[in-house]
């Protein structure tokens, strides 16, 4: 499920429905379908990874141009200096995640396209700002990431959050069990709320409806570095320094527009390996990326 590449990480690399409607339409996750196996959550090791699929916003060209001009080269230099060679070579199609699920069923992308919920409008005014490090669960050891956040105010952000709620409800039933990277040592270190999400929808950090109310834990962001190296205090300090440097380079962040959302395949740590379908937020049409043919 992983690839290597000589390219840099960046080259390789209101709401549409009301909360009342969400509560009425979202499926109940009180009891998982029989096909969903949560037994890995009782194990000390990560669940074996077969295939992760997801819904993401690919980063638009205007953002990529800025990142390539100001961030990519110094990031590569820092990773090499810190002996993070695998991280420097990780393949990724730059994106902001909506939701991920794990399934060994290779027809899952087609099922996701069929199950796609009501789309948000074109997301104008998305602000990407603030580089920071994060780990899957505090003191779990790994995985960890270097992320670029999204400002959590404004209509675009609210539309993103509402769409995450709908997408989580629509896609969670397609999983075969929990996302591998939230099992084992990560699951063991999670709080009760995170563990409940993993059990019921297969992943933490998503929005769900419970007792008629929307519970928000989704944190939309773009990831620059994916790592399974141990997140030691020294690594954390070094990468926090890198984040601080980049925040000085882009103190005001970048404002952009998300025009599309894509169904993709991802590796264990969440880096996008390939894109299956690209869906236009303006009119809901979709194309098969491999053929260019319209499929919706």
């Amino acid at each position: 499920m992983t690839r290597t590449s000589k390219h840099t990480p960046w080259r390789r690399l209101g709401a549409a429905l009301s909360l009342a409607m969400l509560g009425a339409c979202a499926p109940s996750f009180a009891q998982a379908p029989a096909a969903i196996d949560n037994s890995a959550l009782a194990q000390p090791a990560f669940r074996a990874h077969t295939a992760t699929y997801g819904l993401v916003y690919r980063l638009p060209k205007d953002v990529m141009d800025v990142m390539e001009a100001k961030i990519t080269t110094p990031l590569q230099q820092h990773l090499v200096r810190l002996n993070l060679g695998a991280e420097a070579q990780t393949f990724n199609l730059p994106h902001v995640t909506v939701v991920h699920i794990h399934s060994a069923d290779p027809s899952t992308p087609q099922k996701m396209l069929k199950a796609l919920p009501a789309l948000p409008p074109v997301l104008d005014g998305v602000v990407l700002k603030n580089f920071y490090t994060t780990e899957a669960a505090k003191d779990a050891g790994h995985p960890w990431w270097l992320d670029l956040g999204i400002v959590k105010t404004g209509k675009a952000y609210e539309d993103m959050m509402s769409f995450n709620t709908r997408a989580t409800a629509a896609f969670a039933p397609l999983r075969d069990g929990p996302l591998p990277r939230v099992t084992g040592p990560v699951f063991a270190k999670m709080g009760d709320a995170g563990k409940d999400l993993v059990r019921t929808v297969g992943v933490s950090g998503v929005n769900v409806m419970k007792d008629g109310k929307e519970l928000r834990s989704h944190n939309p962001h773009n990831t620059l570095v994916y790592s399974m190296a141990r997140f030691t205090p020294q690594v954390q300090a070094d990468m926090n320094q890198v984040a601080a440097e980049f925040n000085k380079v882009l103190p005001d962040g970048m404002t952009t527009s998300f025009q599309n959302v894509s169904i993709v395949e991802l590796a264990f740590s969440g880096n996008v390996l390939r894109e299956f379908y690209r869906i236009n937020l303006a009119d809901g049409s979709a194309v098969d990326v491999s053929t260019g043919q319209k499929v919706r």
Side-chain angles (χ1 to χ4, degrees):
M1 292 302 301
T2 59
R3 305 182 194 174
T4 59
S5 171
K6 294 182 180 179
H7 296 299
T8 64
W10 284 96
R11 287 195 181 279
R12 298 181 319 269
L13 297 167
L17 293 178
S18 68
L19 294 183
M21 291 176 66
L22 282 167
C25 298
S28 171
F29 297 110
Q31 184 171 354
I36 295 173
D37 182 3
N38 275 339
S39 61
L41 299 180
Q43 304 302 316
F46 287 113
R47 177 191 181 191
H49 183 263
T50 301
T52 293
Y53 300 102
L55 192 66
V56 308
Y57 307 100
R58 290 284 306 275
L59 286 194
K61 184 178 183 300
D62 59 341
V63 172
M64 291 302 301
D65 287 347
V66 173
M67 297 302 293
E68 290 286 353
K70 298 187 176 184
I71 300 298
T72 298
T73 296
L75 175 58
Q76 284 291 96
Q77 293 170 343
H78 283 306
L79 293 176
V80 171
R81 175 178 60 84
L82 297 172
N83 295 316
L84 295 171
E87 290 76 2
Q89 294 298 319
T90 298
F91 181 93
N92 180 52
L93 300 177
H95 63 281
V96 170
T97 290
V98 180
V99 65
H100 298 170
I101 60 171
H102 185 275
S103 176
D105 179 359
S107 69
T108 298
Q110 291 77 24
K111 292 178 179 178
M112 292 174 70
L113 182 64
K114 185 176 181 180
L116 196 68
L119 297 169
V122 170
L123 300 174
D124 288 321
V126 175
V127 182
L128 293 102
K129 183 179 179 181
N130 187 35
F131 296 87
Y132 61 95
T133 61
T134 187
E135 51 187 324
K138 184 172 175 55
D139 298 327
H142 56 186
W144 59 268
W145 303 275
L146 175 67
D147 291 341
L148 172 59
I150 285 180
V151 173
K152 296 175 172 59
T153 57
K155 183 178 184 302
Y157 171 73
E158 291 299 324
D159 286 343
M160 292 177 73
M161 294 297 277
S162 180
F163 184 50
N164 175 269
T165 310
R166 298 194 297 278
T168 300
F171 295 149
L174 301 178
R175 75 197 189 280
D176 60 13
L179 207 64
R181 68 173 175 270
V182 297
T183 62
V186 171
F187 185 77
K189 292 291 185 178
M190 283 183 171
D192 291 343
K195 287 182 176 179
D196 186 58
L197 283 175
V198 172
R199 292 188 191 99
T200 56
V201 293
V203 61
S204 59
V206 292
N207 301 335
V208 295
M209 297 298 300
K210 188 172 184 179
D211 300 328
K213 297 181 180 180
E214 186 183 39
L215 301 182
R216 290 184 168 187
S217 61
H218 183 49
N219 175 39
H221 59 272
N222 167 248
T223 297
L224 290 79
V225 175
Y226 301 81
S227 182
M228 281 296 288
R230 304 300 295 184
F231 199 50
T232 64
Q234 186 60 57
V235 169
Q236 183 174 4
D238 289 338
M239 292 305 299
N240 283 346
Q241 187 174 356
V242 172
E245 175 185 315
F246 291 164
N247 284 326
K248 292 179 181 178
V249 174
L250 293 174
D252 300 319
M254 297 169 284
T255 301
T256 190
S257 175
F258 290 170
Q259 306 281 334
N260 306 285
V261 68
S262 297
I263 294 172
V264 300
E265 181 179 2
L266 308 101
F268 176 93
S269 293
N271 47 304
V272 170
L273 301 176
R274 58 173 167 161
E275 183 179 14
F276 293 100
Y277 303 110
R278 189 175 302 162
I279 301 100
N280 189 310
L281 297 180
D283 61 14
S285 62
V287 297
D288 183 324
V289 173
S290 65
T291 65
Q293 296 298 310
K294 188 174 180 179
V295 293
R296 164 175 157 155

